[in-house]
């Protein structure tokens, strides 16, 4: 390693050769050290969650320095999936009440699937009408939709709860899904931008062949747009899976409880003194894992979808 | 225009079909966005407990709000949270984005940075509740090992808001960094080449090229993140429930508590309107102050 220290920010004077080739790249090294710290900070908490979930809860105190699971056991997961008897769970520091995360997992899957399928499909139809169909007041109605982007989601939650209650949908999965199942202004906007970019010639050729606009939409536009539809679908799925506030309002019992809400309940049930950390971390892992797996498969698509492509 | 007549002549006007295509989305928009917005404003002028019909009571809720010390405390706590959260998040996100731009544009690195964003606020809150636990948490173990006192991060009124702010920075900083990173891609590489020819250091180029050209994007990012930050709820609900005493009772949590803990939907709606107004004013001010609509690149 080079030992001669040069301040990083010294502006090279006119004489010296290109800076990339002189000596040890201090700036780059510092930058990489920073990035490595960022990577560690991003990923280490996940490891710690896994390490704790696989430890025996009663051994956590003695082994608080251990970087590996302490007295490895599946106990935490067994409590999460209701596989331990009440007494066993209490002995391990758990709540002793039977819980079954499979049920919440299923609820989360149903809610997220309903929202994603509905929102993407109905938004695509609306986006097509805004992008390609000819009708009066089209631009005005579209602007009206765009104004919806300005309404903070949080403002509509309370009145929406009142509405869901009036509809008799409190504590149902449909009640949780309905408000975002039909559209979001962002989804309509995002897809309209894409549809606008599709060449008209292909469509016109289909029309000349006698295909109706409905047929063109289902047989031509949708197959041509699988990439943006998939991107939107994945983002919507993640958002609805991770939502907490709205399901917290709507669901009261196990019937409609989704994972995020169940996690909150599980946390509040765990004893205040000597909480069941390994059980809690196992539950947290169960709630997080599906999205992390989804990310593993679609990382490139998700990462590249973040930007201002739609908003600007 | 003279069009060669095609056997099946197409109508130029698709109104009927358009209505059909737009109906579900329009219904969702009107029923679950426009109607609740209007209704929320209406409810703020009523006394409403969910069981009996709302009763109009004029400005009562607003008068009560102005005189409610807990409301003002919540407002202060929320603003305090937003300042810490946004300052840290923007600084780190900008640093991460610039480093990624200059070091490597590989997708894997962006993926790693984005990973915390993939889990819910609840998950993030619980992981850090554990890491920062007073007795067993790794964070306090580390503090002890380096010879410092343990800190009750989420149970000490002085620490609770900074701690919650940092937890949410952890979850959102990657996303913000990627937004800024996307903005950086709009800066032509030739600018940096020209800078290097003139012998400018990375730091000078950051100050003279990156920052000025990034300003419109940065302004947009700030507007989005500040509005999001004001709506903090999940982390508080899971970790502290507003405590100790009221030191982490952010506005959104107070509103939730008022509605679902005490069934005072009218008053809760009035506070929602207040939050909405704050967000509108702040967005407007930011827009004007940062001149978000103008680009220096043109």
């Amino acid at each position: 390693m080079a030992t001669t220290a040069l301040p990083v920010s010294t502006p090279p004077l006119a004489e010296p050769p290109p800076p990339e080739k002189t000596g040890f790249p201090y700036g780059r090294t510092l930058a990489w050290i920073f990035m490595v710290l960022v990577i560690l900070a991003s990923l280490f908490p996940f490891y710690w969650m896994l390490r704790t979930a696989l430890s025996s809860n009663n051994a956590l105190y003695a082994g608080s320095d251990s970087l590996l699971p302490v007295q490895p056991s599946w106990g935490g997961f067994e409590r999460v999936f209701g596989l331990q008897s009440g007494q066993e769970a209490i002995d391990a520091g758990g709540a002793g009440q039977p819980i079954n995360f499979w049920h919440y997992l299923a609820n989360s899957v149903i809610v997220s699937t309903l929202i994603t399928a509905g929102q993407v499909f109905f938004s695509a139809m609306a986006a097509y009408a805004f992008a390609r169909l000819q009708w009066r007041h089209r631009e005005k109605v579209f602007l009206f939709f765009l104004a919806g982007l300005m309404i903070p989601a949080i403002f509509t939650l309370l009145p929406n709860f009142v509405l869901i209650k009036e509809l008799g949908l409190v504590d149902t999965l449909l009640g949780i899904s309905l408000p975002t199942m039909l559209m979001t202004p962002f989804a309509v906007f995002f897809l309209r931008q894409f549809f606008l970019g599709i060449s008209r010639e292909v469509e016109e050729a289909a029309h000349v062949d006698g295909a109706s606009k409905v047929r063109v939409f289902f047989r031509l536009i949708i197959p041509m747009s699988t990439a943006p539809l998939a991107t939107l679908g994945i983002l919507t799925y993640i958002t609805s899976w991770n939502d907490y506030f709205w399901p917290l309002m709507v669901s009261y019992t196990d019937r409609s409880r989704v994972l995020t809400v169940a996690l909150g309940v599980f946390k509040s049930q765990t004893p205040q003194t000597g909480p069941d950390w390994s059980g809690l971390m196992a539950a947290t892992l169960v709630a997080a894992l599906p999205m992390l797996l989804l990310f593993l498969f679609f990382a490139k698509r998700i990462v590249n979808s973040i930007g201002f492509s739609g908003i600007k | 225009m003279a069009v060669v007549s095609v056997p099946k002549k197409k109508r130029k006007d698709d109104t009927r079909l358009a209505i059909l295509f737009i109906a579900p989305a329009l219904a969702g928009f009107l029923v679950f966005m426009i109607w609740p917005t209007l209704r929320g404003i209406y409810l703020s002028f009523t006394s409403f407990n969910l069981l009996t019909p709302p009763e109009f009571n004029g400005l009562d809720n607003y008068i009560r709000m102005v005189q409610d010390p807990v409301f003002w405390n919540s407002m202060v706590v929320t603003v305090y949270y937003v300042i810490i959260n946004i300052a840290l998040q923007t600084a780190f996100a900008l640093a991460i984005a610039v480093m990624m731009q200059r070091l490597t544009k590989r997708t894997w690195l962006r993926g790693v940075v984005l990973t915390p964003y993939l889990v819910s606020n609840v998950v993030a809150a619980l992981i850090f509740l554990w890491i920062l636990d007073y007795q067993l948490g790794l964070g306090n173990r580390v503090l002890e090992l380096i010879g410092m006192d343990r800190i009750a991060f989420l149970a000490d009124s002085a620490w609770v808001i900074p701690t919650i702010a940092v937890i949410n920075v952890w979850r959102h900083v990657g996303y913000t960094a990627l937004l800024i990173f996307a903005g950086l891609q709009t800066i032509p590489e030739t600018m940096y080449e020209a800078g290097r020819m003139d012998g400018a250091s990375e730091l000078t180029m950051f100050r003279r090229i990156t920052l000025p050209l990034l300003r419109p994007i940065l302004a947009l990012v700030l507007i989005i993140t500040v509005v999001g930050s004001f709506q903090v709820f999940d982390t508080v609900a899971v970790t502290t429930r507003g405590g100790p005493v009221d030191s982490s009772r952010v506005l959104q949590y107070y509103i939730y508590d008022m509605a679902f803990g005490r069934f005072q939907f009218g008053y809760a709606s009035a506070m929602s309107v207040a939050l909405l107004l704050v967000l509108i004013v702040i967005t407007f001010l930011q827009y004007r102050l940062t001149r978000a609509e103008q680009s220096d690149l043109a």
Side-chain angles (χ1 to χ4, degrees):
Chain A
M1 292 278 164
T3 44
T4 43
L6 272 171
V8 188
S9 57
T10 311
L13 298 170
E15 315 317 302
E20 289 98 306
K21 292 183 180 171
T22 51
F24 191 70
Y26 291 95
R28 280 187 81 81
T29 312
L30 274 178
W32 269 114
I33 291 174
F34 174 81
M35 278 319 295
V36 168
L37 288 178
V38 168
I39 293 170
L40 270 180
S42 301
L43 298 183
F44 182 78
F46 290 107
Y47 171 72
W48 204 244
M49 166 171 73
L50 181 67
R51 170 261 185 204
T52 310
L54 292 172
S55 299
S56 303
N57 193 49
N58 294 330
L60 283 175
Y61 186 76
S64 64
D65 288 343
S66 166
L67 280 177
L68 292 173
V70 209
Q71 287 181 27
S73 103
W74 295 105
F77 290 97
E78 286 169 1
R79 288 193 288 289
V80 166
F81 289 110
L83 298 173
Q84 275 185 353
S85 72
Q87 194 51 47
E88 261 182 305
I90 290 169
D91 289 344
Q97 277 141 307
I99 39 162
N100 190 350
F101 264 69
W102 287 119
H103 181 67
Y104 309 131
L105 199 66
N107 280 349
S108 274
V109 169
I110 294 171
V111 165
S112 304
T113 308
L114 271 178
I115 292 178
T116 305
Q119 189 188 113
V120 171
F121 180 68
F122 294 128
S123 297
M125 283 173 61
Y128 182 67
F130 283 127
R132 278 292 189 265
L133 299 181
Q134 306 297 327
W135 45 291
R136 288 179 66 194
H137 306 308
R138 185 177 76 168
E139 301 310 312
K140 276 180 211 154
V141 176
F142 182 64
L143 274 181
F144 186 48
F145 258 75
L146 274 194
L149 279 174
M150 306 294 156
I151 305 171
I154 214 118
F155 187 72
T156 55
L157 293 185
L158 275 189
N160 263 339
F161 170 77
V162 178
L163 183 63
I164 290 293
K165 188 169 189 303
E166 286 163 350
L167 293 173
L169 291 174
V170 164
D171 205 22
T172 63
L173 296 178
L174 185 62
I176 299 177
S177 317
L178 207 50
T180 41
M181 226 175 94
L182 295 172
M183 61 95 60
T184 62
F186 173 76
V188 175
F189 187 69
F190 178 87
L191 291 176
R192 173 183 171 268
Q193 289 300 96
F194 184 81
F195 292 159
L196 282 176
I198 295 181
S199 139
R200 270 180 192 276
E201 283 153 28
V202 191
E203 265 176 273
E204 271 155 21
H207 289 315
V208 171
D209 288 347
S212 69
K213 297 220 166 175
V214 179
R215 207 182 147 80
V216 166
F217 175 69
F218 284 105
R219 291 292 167 80
L220 201 66
I221 300 289
I222 289 196
M224 279 173 82
S225 315
T226 42
L229 289 172
T231 304
L232 180 69
I234 293 166
L235 293 180
T236 308
Y237 203 88
I238 294 171
T239 310
S240 42
W241 184 277
N242 286 339
D243 196 15
Y244 176 67
F245 202 179
W246 174 247
L248 176 71
M249 286 180 170
V250 178
S251 74
Y252 287 97
T253 65
D254 273 1
R255 195 154 74 104
S256 70
R257 200 163 276 159
V258 295
L259 269 176
T260 44
V261 180
L263 260 186
V265 173
F266 190 50
K267 187 252 157 187
S268 61
Q269 276 176 357
T270 189
Q272 281 298 305
T273 50
D276 176 15
W277 287 115
S278 57
L280 198 54
M281 285 303 109
T284 309
L285 189 66
V286 169
L289 201 60
M291 290 308 102
L292 294 176
L293 287 178
L294 194 74
F295 190 45
L296 209 61
F297 288 115
F298 296 109
K300 201 160 188 177
R301 188 181 284 274
I302 296 172
V303 162
N304 289 327
S305 72
I306 294 171
F308 293 95
S309 49
I311 314 240
K312 247 192 127 175
Chain B
M1 310 278 151
V3 178
V4 187
S5 67
V6 181
K8 232 186 193 174
K9 214 184 166 206
K10 289 275 163 264
R11 285 192 313 267
K12 204 80 198 104
D13 183 71
D14 306 313
T15 304
R16 270 210 222 141
L17 188 61
I19 290 175
L20 204 70
F21 264 52
I22 206 178
L26 191 63
F29 182 61
L30 292 176
V31 175
F32 294 108
M33 286 197 85
I34 297 301
W35 168 238
T37 303
L38 300 176
R39 196 179 198 185
I41 296 170
Y42 167 70
L43 286 179
S44 77
F45 296 105
T46 67
S47 162
F48 182 38
N49 64 2
L50 210 59
L51 298 174
T52 49
E55 274 173 48
F56 188 77
N57 67 0
L59 288 173
D60 283 7
N61 291 325
Y62 289 94
I63 293 167
R64 177 179 166 193
M65 185 166 80
V66 178
Q67 294 167 344
D68 180 358
V70 185
F71 167 76
W72 287 110
N73 175 68
S74 297
M75 199 57 118
V76 171
V77 167
T78 309
V79 170
Y80 180 45
Y81 164 84
V82 171
I83 291 173
I84 301 180
N85 179 247
I86 293 301
L88 287 179
Q89 183 168 296
T90 312
F92 272 107
L94 186 60
I96 293 170
V98 172
M99 303 271 175
M100 285 196 299
Q101 164 89 344
R102 310 304 286 156
L103 291 176
T104 171
K105 293 185 183 177
R106 293 281 179 77
T107 310
W108 71 263
L109 184 57
R110 280 184 278 158
V112 168
V113 169
L114 191 67
T115 310
Y117 186 71
L118 271 294
V119 302
S120 62
N121 285 325
V122 180
V123 166
L126 286 177
I127 295 178
F128 279 93
L129 189 71
W130 162 229
I131 289 181
L132 299 175
D133 183 63
Y134 187 73
Q135 274 159 356
L136 295 180
L138 181 71
N140 270 316
R141 262 317 270 156
V142 171
L143 281 184
E144 210 176 48
L145 287 177
I146 60 173
M148 288 166 72
D149 284 337
R150 286 170 180 259
I151 297 170
F153 287 99
L154 286 159
D156 181 325
S157 55
W159 280 98
V160 64
I161 284 295
T163 304
I164 291 172
V166 169
I167 295 174
N168 286 333
V169 168
W170 179 76
R171 187 183 165 225
H172 291 96
V173 72
Y175 182 81
T176 315
L178 289 200
L179 283 179
I180 297 175
F181 181 82
L184 287 173
Q185 307 314 307
T186 62
I187 301 176
E189 186 59 31
T190 49
M191 295 253 173
Y192 292 104
E193 277 160 24
R196 237 171 266 129
M197 295 281 245
D198 293 344
S201 70
E202 287 284 337
L203 221 60
T204 316
M205 288 201 282
F206 174 74
R207 281 215 318 271
R208 298 282 169 77
I209 300 174
T210 309
L211 269 190
L213 291 182
L214 198 59
R215 206 206 57 234
I217 299 280
L218 217 48
L220 213 57
V221 169
L222 269 178
I223 291 174
I224 296 172
T225 51
V226 167
V227 169
S229 187
F230 261 97
Q231 305 182 20
V232 55
F233 172 84
D234 301 359
T235 322
V236 173
V238 173
T239 56
T240 66
R241 292 167 173 262
V245 199
D246 282 337
S247 50
S248 65
R249 190 171 299 272
V250 291
L251 194 50
Q252 199 56 53
Y253 192 77
Y254 189 42
I255 293 173
Y256 171 79
D257 195 33
M258 194 55 72
F260 290 88
R262 295 186 239 175
F263 296 102
Q264 302 185 10
F265 271 73
Y267 187 40
S269 300
M271 289 193 287
S272 284
V273 172
L275 180 60
L276 182 66
L277 289 178
V278 169
L279 290 181
I280 291 172
V281 169
I282 286 182
T283 305
F284 180 74
L285 281 182
Q286 278 185 312
Y287 199 75
R288 292 300 293 271
L289 288 176
T290 54
R291 294 172 295 141
E293 76 279 18
Q294 300 164 21
S295 167
D296 291 340
L297 203 56

